[in-house]
């Protein structure tokens, strides 16, 4: 990119920013947030890692915050151990979600097995992955 092109791009972005700032109106308050709160942050964690159990959850608990933890509950994981570790997390008010056990991403990623990349999966394959992990995760909630 030439210096002249970069300068022109900066000028356009600055102009857009000024127009956006002039057009800014206060956002209307919605009535479903408690005590006048105007928004929320969602804290999510992938893969159900040991570091989340050892570090993230105690920090969240210390600050009366809750997170959403997407757990890998596939057939390659010893879920009997995982159940005992994650059940108290859910009981403490954190949300436990299904991460699935295959990582169905694009075949453009070199780290994913070709037979498991999204481009090569059919809807039935994905449904099967989710049903397997759903059944496993259901053991966390009575």
């Amino acid at each position: 990119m030439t210096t002249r092109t970069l300068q022109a791009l900066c000028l356009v972005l600055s102009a857009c920013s000024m127009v956006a700032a002039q057009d800014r109106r206060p956002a209307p308050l919605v009535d479903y947030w408690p005590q006048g709160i105007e928004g929320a942050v969602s804290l999510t964690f992938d893969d159900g890692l040991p570091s989340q159990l050892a570090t993230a959850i105690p920090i969240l608990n210390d600050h009366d915050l809750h997170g959403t933890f997407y757990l890998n509950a596939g057939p390659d994981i010893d879920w009997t151990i995982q159940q005992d570790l994650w059940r108290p997390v859910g009981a403490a008010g954190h949300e436990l979600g299904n991460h699935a056990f295959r990582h169905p991403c694009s075949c453009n990623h070199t780290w994913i097995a070709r037979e498991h990349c999204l481009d090569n999966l059919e809807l039935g394959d994905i449904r099967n992955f989710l049903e397997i992990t759903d059944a496993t995760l259901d053991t966390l909630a009575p």
Side-chain angles (χ1 to χ4, degrees):
M1 187 177 290
T2 68
T3 302
R4 182 169 277 197
T5 304
L6 187 57
Q7 288 171 335
L9 181 60
C10 288
L11 181 62
V12 169
L13 291 174
S14 295
C16 290
S17 177
M18 289 186 326
V19 169
Q22 289 174 353
D23 192 39
R24 214 174 271 160
R25 294 176 192 87
L29 290 177
V30 291
D31 61 358
Y32 55 84
W33 295 103
Q35 303 166 1
I37 294 171
E38 296 182 32
V41 173
S42 178
L43 303 172
T44 63
F45 301 82
D46 270 3
D47 299 326
L49 301 173
S51 62
Q52 296 164 4
L53 290 162
T55 306
I57 292 166
I59 290 171
L60 291 172
N61 290 343
D62 288 348
H63 295 281
D64 292 323
L65 297 171
H66 293 109
T68 299
F69 295 85
Y70 292 101
L71 307 178
N72 293 329
D76 300 335
I77 296 172
D78 184 354
W79 194 245
T80 56
I81 294 170
Q82 297 298 314
Q83 285 176 326
D84 293 339
L85 297 173
W86 285 102
R87 189 173 283 121
V89 174
H94 299 281
E95 184 177 29
L96 304 179
N98 188 347
H99 187 283
F101 63 93
R102 301 276 187 235
H103 224 292
C105 295
S106 169
C107 288
N108 292 331
H109 298 289
T110 57
W111 51 267
I112 191 162
R114 300 290 298 166
E115 66 272 14
H116 298 154
C117 63
L118 195 56
D119 312 40
N120 295 329
L121 295 177
E122 294 186 14
L123 188 55
D125 298 322
I126 296 170
R127 185 178 298 117
N128 183 45
F129 295 157
L130 293 175
E131 286 173 354
I132 291 170
T133 51
D134 275 350
T136 305
L137 290 173
D138 283 347
T139 64
L140 292 176

